[in-house]
Amino acid sequence: MRTARSTARTHPALFIRRALTALLGIILVGALAPATALARTGSTEAATTGLHISDGRLLEGNGKDFVMRGVNHAHTWYPGETQSLADIKATGANSVRVVLSDGYRWTKNSPTEVAGIITQCKANRLICVLEVHDTTGYGEDSAAGTLDHAADYWISLKDVLAGQESYVIINIGNEPWGNTNPAGWTAPTISAVQKLRTAGFQHTIMVDAPNWGQDWQGVMRANAQSVYDADTTGNLIFSIHMYSVYNTAQAVTDYLNAFVNAGLPILIGEFGGPADQYGDPDEDTMMATAEQLKLGYLAWSWSGNTDPILDLVIDFDPTRLSSWGERIFHGVNGIAQTSKEATVFGGTTADTQAPTAPGTPTASAVTATSATLNWAASTDNVGVTGYDVVRVNGTTETSVAASTTASVTVNSLTAHTAYSFAVYARDAAGNRSARSAAVSLTTATGGGSTGAACSVAYRVVGDWGNGFQGEITLRNTGTAAVSNWKLGFSFANGQTIGNMWGGTPTQSGSAVSVAPAAYTSAIAANASVTLGFIGTRGATNTSPAAFDLSGTACAVA
């Protein structure tokens, strides 16, 4: 079971993820007592000239809630990817966590460079969380630096950070303790926070948990109140990283509710979703609970991971979303559906005007498990940023999809079932339109469609001798949607598939059959889905020569 991960880079183009041993079903120990764990208010609260904490909430200087909806970006290892911040903003994100180095383990990011990052964040209307990554796994990873060293780095940047309290959050150090004696995390964390306050910093400070960020032994949970009390400004927020330790809904909700019930501020500073050999994180519960409790989340990560299963986009190309990226940006409780831009970027007059109601949706390409909806676009005084699609059932409604355009395919429907769908529009300020009129439809009887026209593009994304990363783009070239498909092909040289995202492979000898994931199960006409995998290989690595979709041969692109 994977209980933690390291994002340390092993060479200039790669990250590694570290697997650490732990027992299945480990119970997060330690509890926060609501009676004694109330966040401070009043005279000890941080000055309200920028981002600050009040009653366990992250607020802007004007007192408005700010709920982070964003991603992590590995700047320090990919300093040339300067377009990424604009691309991240284009997804609808309102914040970004930027990986930096204090020079202990990797090349130090200079004051000029950091000032440039802040300028780009502000230009792209993103709240910027800056973090030092060199502390990752301290106490277990001998190459890791200390929180004290990281604090000194922040102090060296004081001239750059001064006056940026409305735009920048300081995350002292990433995952600053491993699994060895995690109780040792508390004192250095308090010391680093106090060192920054003594140096005059008024910014919101973020602190990561031990156990490689996942706190599976409950040290941060048990000591959060004492750490919070040590910050005389009260401007401190805790960050939990959720990966395979958080593979059940109860693990997720218990941890987040413990902080909320205690009045202590928390967000999910990193999280993953795709299953791998270490486990299957419950990202759906993470995102749903964050939305329910109005807590921030920052998905890992934009691009550049050694294990690309966690890349939101492929090769830093915003037009090539992975299945993980589709989930984060366009899925239920995702960024397109829930992100609201910080009001600090809105000028002196807040946008309070909601968009007009969208047109009544029309349904097409209705199968047993999916339907495509289209509607007339809304208008807005500033601009429509997205649409929320809901299922209407009497007086109740349930969110089923989100889109940045006036069209969406709703998946995971039940065969031979009546549905009614309607649409809301949103703008950047979070204003929501009146609901559109509803469209009714009944799904087809039986399984998914077969016999579709299709094409397949197969390529090797990376190759490291005895292993490689493959990518398969499956396009529906027909005139009707397909669903519940099966993709078949055979390897020529004995290759085998290990991890796959976007589908579930079954392999017998050289023959491979791939069933879709829930979020790739329906492919609209002239649309495509992308699957990725990690495979093993021998001396040669010839691409498959033929593919079939549900028994029908596909063209090879």
Side-chain angles (χ1 to χ4, degrees), residues 421-502:
F421 297 109
V423 186
Y424 293 93
R426 286 176 286 103
D427 63 19
N431 299 308
R432 202 181 197 198
S433 73
R435 196 175 79 187
S436 74
V439 61
S440 296
L441 60 91
T442 300
T443 52
T445 301
S449 55
T450 60
C454 52
S455 69
V456 174
Y458 177 99
R459 72 185 187 111
V460 174
V461 177
D463 195 317
W464 47 93
N466 62 349
F468 69 105
Q469 178 193 344
E471 180 182 276
I472 302 170
T473 300
L474 170 60
R475 178 170 291 280
N476 175 10
T477 58
T479 58
V482 298
S483 63
N484 294 344
W485 46 264
K486 287 288 182 70
L487 178 68
F489 61 93
S490 293
F491 284 119
N493 309 121
Q495 299 98 320
T496 59
I497 292 177
N499 298 327
M500 174 174 276
W501 49 101

Side-chain angles (χ1 to χ4, degrees), residues 360-379:
T360 304
T362 59
S364 62
V366 179
T367 72
T369 59
S370 67
T372 297
L373 305 178
N374 295 275
W375 56 89
S378 300
T379 60

Side-chain angles (χ1 to χ4, degrees), residues 332 337 389-393 396-401 420-422 435:
V332 175
Q337 188 179 68
V389 179
V390 296
R391 180 185 181 185
V392 181
N393 187 7
T396 65
E397 60 181 46
T398 306
S399 295
V400 295
S420 183
F421 297 109
R435 196 175 79 187

Side-chain angles (χ1 to χ4, degrees), residues 35 49 85 89 96-97 137 145 150 154 191 196 217 220 243 316 333 340 351 404-405 410-411 439 460 473 489 491:
T49 55
L85 293 178
K89 178 61 180 181
V96 62
R97 181 171 179 256
W154 295 119
S191 178
L196 292 183
Q217 290 176 289
M220 185 171 83
Y243 293 97
F316 294 94
N333 298 311
K340 297 180 181 179
D351 177 14
T404 55
T405 65
V410 181
N411 299 313
V439 61
V460 174
T473 300
F489 61 93
F491 284 119

